[in-house]
Amino acid sequence: MIREKLVVVGNGMAGCRAVEEILAREPSKFHIVIFGAEPRVNYNRIMLSPLLAGEKSFEDIVINGHDWYADNGIDLIVGDPVVSIDRVAKTITARSGRVEAYDKLLLATGSDPFIIPVPGKDLPGVVTFRDMDDVGAMLEAANRGGDAVVIGGGLLGLEAAHGLTRRGMKVTVLHIMPTLMERQLDESAGWLLKQALEARGQSILTQADTAEIYGDGRVQGVRLKDGREIPASLVVMAVGIRPNTALARAADLAVGRGVHVDDHMVTSDADILAVGECVEHAGLCYGLVAPLWEMCRALADGLVASPSGYQGSVTSTKLKVSGIDVFSAGDFSGGEGRRISFCATPPAESTSA
Ligand SMILES: Cc1cc2nc3c(=O)[nH]c(=O)nc-3n(C[C@H](O)[C@H](O)[C@H](O)COP(=O)(O)OP(=O)(O)OC[C@H]3O[C@@H](n4cnc5c(N)ncnc54)[C@H](O)[C@@H]3O)c2cc1C
């Protein structure tokens, strides 16, 4: 039997989950080739927080090791990002110059961290929190000790602050809004969360608007618009994410905030699909995994089975923010202006970090 070739761009959570869903339905339909920009196998990005905090090792957070790729006949090309798509020839080209033909192409390129455009944003010592390399840079800084500033009091920023505190750094969180995690938490819950985090040794400055990151050849601190200066040898920017749409845009696919897809994750080109945080479905982009798993199911159904498509996702969940349980019910899309009712419950036991 001649198998079709499926090329996957992105060896992250959604790309590999989509492949798992396809294999579960029809293991021999495609010869699968996966390109990953990161130089490693597929791991659980959510677990970067416990890894930073010293609670897990990289081996603990691997989802699919080399055996999985080998056992399923998948060619894995790591550390070689795809740089262009030729939709007429139906090929992709990677940074190394490698060209791969496809019958179906799956874009699963995730998101890029947003960098606030302030002076000093490119200084050594300014990092984001997205992948293993970012965690490596934070751990190196933590080994040297000293002060860290985390810009952003959302889920990611608070996780980074927790991990760095656990690693012995003195951490200040800067958040531009009056209360923490305001997209998910109501004001009282945000205030309770702030109290709980401060009790664990973090400094939290709300309504703190960054003017500049200063330093002579390397980060030395952050200056706020009101003139306050917070010294730091490490600055973590965790102010949001943007769907990574560069490849799709360059290939002239329909793109809004994310790559436009239908209910089976098919883009404006019938032979190109997209899944995960890079996607925009019915006007919404997503930044948590629950809706992405639904997308992966809908994609596999569309490719190798038939039935229902993706209809968007309204779910309830329980998150852990810096070791504190946050219960929620609502819509987890990254859409603008969505207000969800939450409550934060600090654990009854010890509050030491
Ligand atoms: C620290 C942290 C904590 C999180 N905690 C939670 C949580 O508690 N709950 C939750 O639901 N979600 C959480 N998330 C979000 C969750 O991890 C993401 O929603 C999920 O990883 C998105 O999957 P994805 O496959 O779309 O993107 P990713 O997992 O980011 O995968 C995209 C991959 O594509 C690669 N890539 C990009 N461009 C190219 C290219 N041109 N060629 C080849 N490869 C490319 C990237 O390097 C990356 O490896 C967290 C995220 C982080 C960073």
Side-chain angles (χ1 to χ4, degrees):
M1 185 178 98
I2 298 176
R3 293 192 297 168
E4 288 180 80
K5 196 198 282 181
L6 170 68
V7 173
V8 182
V9 184
N11 187 39
M13 296 193 74
C16 287
R17 174 64 83 106
V19 169
E20 286 175 3
E21 294 282 354
I22 293 166
L23 292 172
R25 284 161 181 75
E26 221 180 306
S28 51
K29 182 172 168 78
F30 292 105
H31 168 210
I32 299 174
V33 182
I34 304 181
F35 282 81
E38 295 183 63
R40 50 187 71 90
V41 293
N42 170 231
Y43 62 93
N44 188 342
R45 202 170 296 286
I46 295 173
M47 290 292 147
L48 285 177
S49 302
L51 194 136
L52 176 65
E55 295 152 7
K56 300 260 181 215
S57 67
F58 180 71
E59 288 67 37
D60 295 331
I61 71 168
V62 167
I63 300 175
N64 293 301
H66 285 288
D67 290 359
W68 177 76
Y69 298 90
D71 292 350
N72 290 292
I74 298 168
D75 296 334
L76 172 66
I77 295 113
V78 292
D80 195 11
V82 170
V83 293
S84 64
I85 303 167
D86 183 334
R87 288 169 53 195
V88 177
K90 291 183 71 172
T91 59
I92 59 91
T93 304
R95 189 171 59 193
S96 62
R98 181 180 178 135
V99 176
E100 201 76 44
Y102 65 83
D103 295 300
K104 296 282 181 193
L105 180 66
L106 171 58
L107 302 178
T109 50
S111 294
D112 291 324
F114 181 66
I115 310 283
I116 47 172
V118 289
K121 67 180 171 46
D122 297 321
L123 279 172
V126 179
V127 300
T128 55
F129 189 18
R130 183 72 195 176
D131 61 24
M132 273 298 296
D133 290 345
D134 295 330
V135 172
M138 284 192 252
L139 291 180
E140 245 182 75
N143 283 341
R144 291 192 295 270
D147 296 343
V149 162
V150 175
I151 304 179
L155 176 66
L156 226 54
L158 296 180
E159 291 287 353
H162 173 65
L164 292 169
T165 306
R166 293 288 299 252
R167 295 283 184 173
M169 296 196 90
K170 183 172 168 295
V171 181
T172 303
V173 176
L174 306 179
H175 192 49
I176 195 165
M177 302 303 285
T179 53
L180 294 174
M181 288 183 68
E182 75 289 340
R183 278 190 150 199
Q184 295 91 0
L185 303 184
D186 61 25
E187 278 160 31
S188 325
W191 185 84
L192 282 171
L193 185 59
K194 178 171 182 281
Q195 301 295 306
L197 294 172
E198 285 172 340
R200 288 168 185 225
Q202 294 173 26
S203 301
I204 313 268
L205 303 182
T206 51
Q207 291 177 301
D209 198 356
T210 302
E212 181 190 4
I213 299 170
Y214 62 88
D216 190 4
R218 208 191 144 76
V219 160
Q220 290 173 306
V222 174
R223 189 170 295 116
L224 300 180
K225 285 195 176 152
D226 62 14
R228 279 181 290 176
E229 288 184 1
I230 302 105
S233 55
L234 173 74
V235 171
V236 182
M237 280 229 200
V239 292
I241 51 172
R242 296 285 178 273
N244 179 347
T245 58
L247 265 183
R249 233 177 251 286
D252 268 338
L253 294 174
V255 176
R257 277 198 303 140
V259 184
H260 286 173
V261 290
D262 69 11
D263 291 351
H264 286 294
M265 306 293 119
V266 180
T267 68
S268 53
D269 179 325
D271 292 321
I272 304 183
L273 301 99
V275 75
E277 286 186 353
C278 65
V279 151
E280 179 179 330
H281 175 267
L284 296 176
C285 299
Y286 294 86
L288 292 173
V289 292
L292 308 190
W293 297 162
E294 289 304 318
M295 289 183 195
C296 293
R297 272 192 282 276
L299 174 141
D301 280 348
L303 260 187
V304 297
S306 49
S308 62
Y310 179 65
Q311 303 298 332
S313 183
V314 178
T315 46
S316 63
T317 197
K318 187 172 108 178
L319 299 170
K320 230 178 182 35
V321 183
S322 305
I324 297 168
D325 287 328
V326 178
F327 299 96
S328 66
D331 186 337
F332 293 99
S333 72
E336 299 294 331
R338 284 171 182 269
R339 183 80 171 176
I340 310 163
S341 191
F342 278 64
C343 73
T345 315
E349 69 272 10
S350 154
T351 55
S352 64

